[in-house]
Amino acid sequence: MVAGAAQAALYLWARAMAKEPWPQGICLNAVALAAVNMPQAPRDAALTQAVVEMTASDRLSEPSVIADAVCFLASKRARTITGEVLNFSGGYRL
């Protein structure tokens, strides 16, 4: 329940705050993470498998994929994308 409320707050924050810097040409976006494969922060194998089975992609998000997306959002190629939340859930909510 708390995670859902936090995610809803993130979506509302991104939408509301994106209007303020827009006149200066600044795009504001957010990234929402679910389970991320982090070898340096291992978690219980059974818990990880349970989470993976609940995703449409049958895998955890990889840090390099998230970094690539963030770099794109920070680039000039994304200059008309603002007020959005890029969700890395692997299809967890589908």
Side-chain angles (χ1 to χ4, degrees):
M1 187 73 151
V2 172
Q7 188 130 23
L10 178 65
Y11 277 83
L12 292 172
W13 177 84
R15 298 263 170 164
M17 295 303 294
K19 294 176 184 176
E20 192 171 319
W22 183 254
Q24 289 82 34
I26 299 170
C27 299
L28 187 143
N29 296 291
V31 176
L33 304 176
V36 178
N37 184 22
M38 301 282 290
Q40 66 272 32
R43 57 177 70 85
D44 179 69
L47 174 62
T48 300
Q49 186 59 34
V51 170
V52 166
E53 289 174 2
M54 289 188 277
T55 65
S57 66
D58 288 327
R59 62 178 165 239
L60 300 177
S61 296
E62 293 293 330
S64 62
V65 173
I66 297 164
D68 288 345
V70 170
C71 286
F72 168 74
L73 286 175
S75 75
K76 291 185 186 262
R77 294 178 295 156
R79 64 185 168 270
T80 61
I81 301 172
T82 193
E84 298 298 330
V85 177
L86 192 54
N87 193 332
F88 287 92
S89 69
Y92 183 78
R93 291 170 190 79
L94 300 179

